[in-house]
Amino acid sequence: VFYLLLFLVVFICVSLSSWWNKPMRLKASVLLPSGYFDNPDQKSPVRYNVAGYGGRYNRVNRQVRENSKFSEWWFSGEAPQVINVFLDGEGPFGDPYQVDSENNGPYGHALIHELIPYIEDSYRGMGTAETRFVDGCSTGGWVSLALQIFYPDFFNGAFSYSPDAVEFENYQTINIYKDKNAFYNEWGNPRPVARDITGDPIILMQRFIQLENVQGSSNTYLNSGQQIGSHTAVYSPRSANGLPAPMFDPITGEIDRDVAEYWKKYDLKIHLKEHWADLGPRLQGKIWIWMGDMDHFLLNPATRALDEYLKSTSDPTSDAEIIFEPMQGHCTKFSHRDILEMIADKLNN
């Protein structure tokens, strides 16, 4: 039954291929609901799952082959009859974050206008915004929230767990608009990039960037293919040398104020503030976020700032549901089953 209901999609994307001037493929895996073949005319809602950093389409295998509890539930017929699509996190500079950017190209356009219509046409998706959802954790948490915000009428709900920094006054411990250095704070102390749930630092930002620097063929994090390199490729303009412009110097950590200003295009809090009169009504009932207050990557302050802003909104007042749990770390409460059940509740109400 696994092989009957599980498919790989490899799609040559016209917009990305044109932008890169070479064939560019998007991949995804599709897990069909247990009753898919019972009625060949039946169309289904679709859930799009975005992985944590760099996650590949084949992560679905962990659900249907290695997670026996999920498999038993999914194939029992009790699970919601929802098509699951697992998007792929491979891109030119690492994870492309499924959005348009100056360095990666039109990944958002390719997803919304090419890959998703192809999947829904091929696998009998309902093809309506009311029956289309997006979710993820970590990188997937940011991407799912960004897709819902940037394409407010295309999805009917984002379920975001432990999202990457959703605003950049709290890019982990850095305020990119005011701070001078990404490696050291105003007191001259080194900044952590990860901690355990007791607050003990795991690795410092400078050390983290040193590791990325040696992975990039440019001897910098700019094409390391890793986390900060990918952020830079998504959020920064392109330099004359063809690489993403560094928001901070790879050796000294000094912040480039002009590049930091460019990052505002992807600061979700700023985007919501600037467009709330238009976006507010279109996002009602569509934002759900979970965050541990001891997030391993210090992502909770940015989510707190977003929550504070959304609570201050009017005309309309946001009804976003944002949950903070004390002493919980990164993605510790993420659950495919919980998300599918929340989707089912939304469809039934």
Side-chain angles (χ1 to χ4, degrees):
V1 69
F2 293 166
Y3 296 101
L4 289 174
L5 297 178
L6 182 59
F7 294 86
L8 167 64
V9 174
V10 181
F11 180 78
I12 296 179
C13 176
V14 174
S15 57
L16 280 172
S17 298
S18 176
W19 199 88
W20 281 97
N21 198 30
K22 63 180 182 180
M24 295 290 288
R25 294 172 173 82
L26 296 177
K27 305 181 186 72
S29 54
V30 179
L31 176 62
L32 300 173
S34 60
Y36 183 81
F37 293 109
D38 294 343
N39 184 347
D41 297 321
Q42 180 73 37
K43 293 187 176 182
S44 303
V46 187
R47 167 226 181 179
Y48 292 90
N49 172 257
V50 188
Y53 180 79
R56 304 305 304 278
Y57 64 88
N58 57 5
R59 66 189 179 278
V60 67
N61 294 339
R62 293 195 296 272
Q63 293 306 116
V64 298
R65 295 177 184 169
E66 299 172 24
N67 187 334
S68 59
K69 288 185 178 180
F70 179 86
S71 295
E72 289 171 7
W73 174 71
W74 185 251
F75 295 107
S76 70
E78 296 178 6
Q81 296 299 294
V82 174
I83 296 169
N84 285 254
V85 178
F86 295 81
L87 300 177
D88 194 76
E90 181 182 31
F93 289 94
D95 198 309
Y97 277 57
Q98 311 295 335
V99 294
D100 295 344
S101 67
E102 193 167 317
N103 295 288
N104 291 314
Y107 270 83
H109 182 278
L111 175 68
I112 299 300
H113 297 286
E114 295 186 59
L115 182 61
I116 286 178
Y118 173 79
I119 288 174
E120 294 184 358
D121 287 345
S122 300
Y123 295 97
R124 303 201 318 261
M126 286 183 172
T128 65
E130 291 75 20
T131 57
R132 188 182 296 124
F133 304 88
V134 62
D135 74 90
C137 192
S138 191
T139 291
W142 188 93
V143 172
S144 56
L145 187 59
L147 288 174
Q148 182 66 76
I149 290 170
F150 293 155
Y151 304 96
D153 301 321
F154 193 77
F155 298 97
N156 194 25
F159 302 91
S160 168
Y161 287 76
S162 304
D164 285 5
V166 294
E167 55 92 59
F168 302 144
E169 291 180 63
N170 295 279
Y171 181 62
Q172 297 180 292
T173 65
I174 308 163
N175 182 335
I176 72 168
Y177 310 122
K178 292 183 179 180
D179 290 338
K180 296 179 179 179
N181 195 283
F183 298 159
Y184 296 94
N185 64 21
E186 61 184 298
W187 300 283
N189 295 319
R191 301 181 190 273
V193 73
R195 64 180 177 188
D196 65 18
I197 63 168
T198 71
D200 202 17
I202 296 173
I203 188 169
L204 302 177
M205 176 63 93
Q206 186 173 29
R207 175 63 173 161
F208 196 79
I209 294 302
Q210 287 172 342
L211 293 171
E212 288 206 22
N213 284 343
V214 300
Q215 292 175 291
S217 61
S218 63
N219 293 319
T220 72
Y221 66 88
L222 300 175
N223 61 348
S224 67
Q226 301 304 312
Q227 183 76 75
I228 306 301
S230 291
H231 283 174
T232 307
V234 174
Y235 306 147
S236 285
R238 176 177 284 197
S239 295
N241 63 6
L243 292 175
M247 190 269 285
F248 58 85
D249 187 275
I251 304 301
T252 67
E254 182 180 356
I255 292 173
D256 185 315
R257 192 66 59 223
D258 291 335
V259 177
E261 284 294 306
Y262 192 91
W263 279 37
K264 286 182 176 180
K265 291 175 61 176
Y266 300 92
D267 184 314
L268 300 183
K269 185 179 75 175
I270 288 176
H271 185 79
L272 287 168
K273 279 186 175 181
E274 292 179 345
H275 302 282
W276 185 253
D278 174 55
L279 289 177
R282 298 158 71 189
L283 292 173
Q284 290 296 83
K286 295 182 178 181
I287 293 177
W288 186 98
I289 303 172
W290 179 92
M291 175 61 76
D293 252 336
M294 288 302 293
D295 185 87
H296 287 81
F297 298 100
L298 301 110
L299 300 171
N300 46 302
T303 305
R304 285 279 183 186
L306 179 64
D307 181 53
E308 182 178 351
Y309 164 68
L310 289 173
K311 286 177 177 175
S312 75
T313 55
S314 58
D315 299 322
T317 300
S318 173
D319 65 355
E321 184 175 359
I322 305 182
I323 300 165
F324 295 93
E325 286 203 43
M327 298 309 294
Q328 292 294 323
H330 192 64
C331 293
T332 52
K333 290 295 183 73
F334 180 80
S335 164
H336 289 279
R337 179 167 177 170
D338 286 352
I339 290 166
L340 285 160
E341 290 178 338
M342 285 191 285
I343 288 172
D345 286 344
K346 191 168 176 61
L347 289 167
N348 292 329
N349 293 323

